[in-house]
Amino acid sequence: MLRALLLKEWIKLRRLAWVPPVLVAAAIIDAWLTMRAIRNNHGAVQVWNALVTKQDIHFDRLSYVLPFCGMWVACVQFLPECTGKRLRLLFHLPVSHGRALAVPVLVGLAAVAAVSVLTLAGLWAVFSLGFHLPVELAGPMLQTVLPWCVAAAVAYLATAAAVADPALHRRIALALAGFAFVAMLIRTSGFAGMSGSLPGYVLLSLAWLLPVHAAALRVKEGR
């Protein structure tokens, strides 16, 4: 049964899973082009000054792209399930409701994590291989992206809960709460500005698993 549930998620994701990697790649290429234009027009010294002194974040588009990717994955997974009461039928399979719900959520979070890893790897290539930045500078720049990766996971969970919940007022409340939490995570204040408080935000983000579970139980009970 577990294999069947995994196959079901693969069928839903396989045709639209290319969108998040393409968006991330476009944002990374945009950052590379911006930094290269500054180097070509003003010299390498100006690039160094902008990064060290001003801490210009030329890859800030990822702060919006990553949460959107989380929302995209959630919609691809849960919109089909919430059409024609399919999500309710999911809980009548010969498997515990906890496992039936955990499989799509874990698959979605794994997809979001894969996009985050792709983002970090692409930026590392730009910083270290493209511009030969030292680890002391490239490291904090990469740490800047970590809260955005957490925001992508929160956006996924909040969207999944909002889509799955049968009541409109709860959907609106979940969407607004998710937006506020994501907005808090994507704030920037220089490189690695949230590195000290990031573990606390990660723990708080785990609480978003509860609305997803609660929304699914409401669907199961027909409320």
Side-chain angles (χ1 to χ4, degrees):
M1 182 56 66
L2 177 60
R3 187 175 180 179
L5 291 173
L6 291 173
L7 178 61
K8 181 181 181 182
E9 298 307 313
W10 164 248
I11 292 173
K12 288 187 291 185
L13 289 170
R14 63 180 179 177
R15 295 192 177 184
L16 296 173
W18 58 270
V19 174
V22 168
L23 293 177
V24 165
I28 292 174
I29 292 173
D30 176 75
W32 172 68
L33 290 174
T34 301
M35 294 175 67
R36 191 185 70 164
I38 296 174
R39 184 186 62 185
N40 292 343
N41 294 331
H42 304 285
V45 174
Q46 184 60 31
V47 174
W48 184 266
N49 179 62
L51 294 178
V52 175
T53 305
K54 300 179 182 178
Q55 294 194 356
D56 290 342
I57 302 177
H58 300 296
F59 47 92
D60 57 344
R61 282 184 173 82
L62 287 167
S63 65
Y64 303 98
V65 170
L66 287 172
F68 177 81
C69 291
M71 295 172 59
W72 178 269
V73 174
C75 289
V76 170
Q77 281 188 287
F78 285 91
L79 281 179
E81 293 288 348
C82 297
T83 302
K85 297 183 179 180
R86 294 178 185 174
L87 185 60
R88 190 172 183 179
L89 293 175
L90 178 67
F91 298 110
H92 293 280
L93 296 175
V95 64
S96 65
H97 74 273
R99 179 176 296 183
L101 177 63
V103 169
V105 172
L106 290 178
V107 169
L109 289 176
V112 173
V115 172
S116 299
V117 171
L118 176 65
T119 302
L120 295 172
L123 286 176
W124 176 84
V126 170
F127 300 153
S128 299
L129 303 180
F131 294 92
H132 305 288
L133 299 178
V135 176
E136 292 79 6
L137 180 57
M141 292 173 71
L142 288 176
Q143 291 178 35
T144 307
V145 185
L146 294 180
W148 307 346
C149 297
V150 178
V154 172
Y156 169 83
L157 293 172
T159 303
V163 171
D165 200 291
L168 179 59
H169 67 281
R170 285 195 297 263
R171 289 183 176 183
I172 295 174
L174 287 168
L176 292 177
F179 178 82
F181 203 99
V182 168
M184 178 178 58
L185 284 170
I186 65 174
R187 292 181 304 172
T188 55
S189 56
F191 297 150
M194 295 181 63
S195 59
S197 56
L198 185 59
Y201 283 118
V202 172
L203 291 176
L204 287 175
S205 300
L206 293 177
W208 277 98
L209 292 168
L210 299 177
V212 179
H213 188 263
L217 286 181
R218 293 189 189 100
V219 172
K220 178 185 177 182
E221 297 170 1
R223 289 190 285 144

